[in-house]
Amino acid sequence: MPHADSPPSLLLTDLAERFGPMPAWRIRSVPAPGTATEQDVLKIEERENRLCELVDGVLVEKTAGFYESILAVRLAGRLEVFVDANHLGVVTGEGGMMRIFPGLVRIPDVAFASWKEFPEGVTNEPVPNVVPDLAVEILSEGNTKQEMDSKLDDYFGAGVRLVWLIEPRRKTVEVFTARYTSSLLDENATLSGGDVLPGFSLALKRFFAKPRKG
């Protein structure tokens, strides 16, 4: 029987409303949804080498396909070269956990955080208090609209300045400069860093091209 001070677990109807029709395996049942903590995030990563975000006491396992992972590495590499050359801050990849609010752990597929987030230097904490300037989500088949809407709410609520939602199947990038302000780019467009990374540009046709031998 749960302790009187334990947070209540969530019902399936609560989870469906919160996260949409995502695959059942992505919602961790242990610990019970609604009761998970940041320590559970770290234990799963250590024991199973799996990444989970922590949202309202629910562990939501990250999903990424092979091609999506290629795109994440490709984008992170381009950003890293630009950011390093201009001494702007830090670029993280698919494993970069961030505590953007107390009790809320997000893991953007790629992110850029300026040096203002690290007044005492980059920390060794596994889940630091970091609000990135740019957060990038590369959509996989298991992602839902409710899930992505929630991420946008969280990112802009925390102070993120720019979000890129990359849709590999459609070869598009939706660029959000505010929660409800966005533009949609197709593969013939060039993605720019805007006010967050002025001078950065990426030709999307080349970015979305699948690797080929020779």
Side-chain angles (χ1 to χ4, degrees):
M1 183 175 181
H3 188 278
D5 295 328
S6 299
S9 58
L10 298 176
L11 301 174
L12 290 176
T13 52
D14 299 322
L15 296 173
E17 182 177 348
R18 180 72 173 81
F19 299 104
M22 67 170 50
W25 62 265
R26 292 196 56 209
I27 303 293
R28 287 283 183 142
S29 58
V30 179
T35 68
T37 67
E38 196 172 288
Q39 288 304 309
D40 296 310
V41 173
L42 297 175
K43 286 177 183 177
I44 289 172
E45 196 235 350
E46 180 182 356
R47 296 174 182 174
E48 304 179 31
N49 196 28
R50 292 181 178 273
L51 295 172
C52 292
E53 295 184 311
L54 177 65
V55 186
D56 295 335
V58 181
L59 294 176
V60 183
E61 190 163 330
K62 287 279 288 182
T63 176
F66 186 74
Y67 176 50
E68 289 87 348
S69 181
I70 290 173
L71 293 180
V73 170
R74 186 177 289 172
L75 178 59
R78 286 292 302 273
L79 285 170
E80 171 65 21
V81 169
F82 181 86
V83 167
D84 184 61
N86 292 280
H87 312 289
L88 298 176
V90 171
V91 175
T92 58
E94 295 172 280
M97 302 182 192
M98 302 176 185
R99 184 189 305 111
I100 66 173
F101 283 120
L104 176 63
V105 176
R106 288 296 189 188
I107 314 174
D109 294 309
V110 181
F112 156 70
S114 63
W115 286 123
K116 66 178 173 56
E117 288 295 308
F118 308 98
E120 299 179 2
V122 176
T123 175
N124 287 328
E125 287 183 64
V127 189
N129 289 311
V130 171
V131 176
D133 296 80
L134 165 67
V136 183
E137 296 287 343
I138 302 178
L139 278 63
S140 300
E141 290 187 14
N143 293 126
T144 67
K145 183 180 185 304
Q146 291 92 328
E147 178 186 12
M148 303 319 294
D149 284 345
S150 175
K151 289 191 178 192
L152 288 167
D153 290 340
D154 292 340
Y155 286 144
F156 284 106
V160 174
R161 299 168 57 200
L162 182 64
V163 176
W164 294 340
L165 294 188
I166 298 176
E167 172 48 275
R169 292 169 294 282
R170 297 178 182 174
K171 297 183 179 181
T172 61
V173 179
E174 190 166 9
V175 177
F176 285 84
T177 53
R179 175 59 184 91
Y180 296 104
T181 303
S182 69
S183 58
L184 188 66
L185 305 179
D186 65 21
E187 64 175 320
N188 297 308
T190 297
L191 178 65
S192 78
D195 294 334
V196 174
L197 291 167
F200 176 83
S201 65
L202 180 67
L204 292 180
K205 185 176 289 292
R206 185 172 182 180
F207 170 67
F208 283 117
K210 292 185 178 180
R212 299 179 65 180
K213 184 179 179 180

